[in-house]
Amino acid sequence: MRIIGGEFKGRRFTPPAKNWPTRPTTDYAKEALFNILSNSLEFDELKVLDLFGGTGSLSYEFISRGCNNVTYIDSFPGCINFVKETAEKLDIKSKIRIFKSDALKFIDRNGEKFDFIFADPPYAMAGIDSIPDRIFKSNMLNEDGWFVIEHNTNHDFKDHPNCFDSRNYGKTVISFFKLKEEVKE
């Protein structure tokens, strides 16, 4: 795993991932995602939520690019410990809040609003198709915020009323959402 841009560009981390329930976003998909985001968002102004955060790859990438307010959520203790250790090594503990929680329960109970929400659920997880609706029902996305979900080709959100773009990177698909009134054709 490596950070592909910003202050920590090129830094590599090796999670002790034997038997972990993670599937880190590929460098190819991550680089494509951040190319899209860098043309539309000011990273230093974002309040980011990283759901199903896994190894923390996306959280580190946002912080490396200037984001000072990242909330990381995962339920696997190994991942939580790894992200805490990495935050210590990078000296970014003041920029990331780390929570051990089921991501779907966090969505349903959360009272905060975010400018950018990223979800990278396990591809085989039941209920993936409900995640965008849960995000919008929870009212956790700021008015001009974005929600992005990484999924495989077994799921298709192009017809969702809030989906404004979907990009395919091999077996990985990244779908982009905004509040309905923000979605432009």
Side-chain angles (χ1 to χ4, degrees), residues 78-106:
C79 289
I80 299 293
N81 291 334
F82 178 75
V83 172
K84 286 179 179 178
E85 290 169 11
T86 304
E88 180 79 37
K89 287 178 189 172
L90 291 175
D91 194 25
I92 59 171
K93 291 188 315 182
S94 65
K95 299 176 182 186
I96 186 169
R97 295 182 304 155
I98 301 165
F99 294 103
K100 181 182 180 299
S101 175
D102 175 273
L104 297 180
K105 288 180 183 175
F106 181 86

Side-chain angles (χ1 to χ4, degrees), residues 2 4-5 9 25-38 58 61 65 169 174:
R2 74 181 173 98
I4 58 171
K9 181 179 180 177
T25 302
T26 64
D27 283 355
Y28 174 62
K30 187 166 50 169
E31 189 164 0
L33 171 64
F34 277 91
N35 284 339
I36 293 167
L37 299 181
S38 66
L58 268 287
E61 201 68 51
R65 294 166 186 261
Y169 304 101
I174 299 177

Side-chain angles (χ1 to χ4, degrees), residues 29-184:
K30 187 166 50 169
E31 189 164 0
L33 171 64
F34 277 91
N35 284 339
I36 293 167
L37 299 181
S38 66
N39 289 317
S40 302
L41 305 172
E42 295 293 330
F43 293 110
D44 60 340
E45 298 175 6
L46 294 179
K47 183 176 180 181
V48 172
L49 175 61
D50 186 4
L51 294 168
F52 308 95
T55 60
S57 177
L58 268 287
S59 291
Y60 312 138
E61 201 68 51
F62 272 104
I63 293 169
S64 181
R65 294 166 186 261
C67 184
N68 294 307
N69 190 345
V70 175
T71 301
Y72 162 96
I73 307 294
D74 203 277
S75 61
F76 184 63
C79 289
I80 299 293
N81 291 334
F82 178 75
V83 172
K84 286 179 179 178
E85 290 169 11
T86 304
E88 180 79 37
K89 287 178 189 172
L90 291 175
D91 194 25
I92 59 171
K93 291 188 315 182
S94 65
K95 299 176 182 186
I96 186 169
R97 295 182 304 155
I98 301 165
F99 294 103
K100 181 182 180 299
S101 175
D102 175 273
L104 297 180
K105 288 180 183 175
F106 181 86
I107 293 168
D108 295 340
R109 292 187 293 213
N110 174 63
E112 287 185 71
K113 287 190 174 269
F114 297 89
D115 303 307
F116 186 88
I117 300 171
F118 183 80
D120 186 6
Y123 288 172
M125 182 186 96
I128 286 179
D129 292 332
S130 73
I131 294 174
D133 288 334
R134 289 174 98 142
I135 293 289
F136 290 105
K137 183 181 176 189
S138 72
N139 199 29
M140 63 193 307
L141 192 63
N142 277 327
E143 187 175 307
D144 57 351
W146 287 25
F147 166 60
V148 174
I149 186 169
E150 179 179 327
H151 55 93
N152 63 14
T153 55
N154 294 334
H155 305 278
D156 185 355
F157 295 104
K158 290 177 187 165
D159 292 332
H160 190 282
N162 298 84
C163 184
F164 69 92
D165 198 0
S166 188
R167 306 285 178 102
N168 196 326
Y169 304 101
K171 295 179 182 179
T172 299
V173 181
I174 299 177
S175 296
F176 300 80
F177 300 78
K178 291 182 183 178
L179 293 173
K180 248 184 217 174
E181 52 272 8
E182 293 292 318
V183 176
K184 310 270 192 278

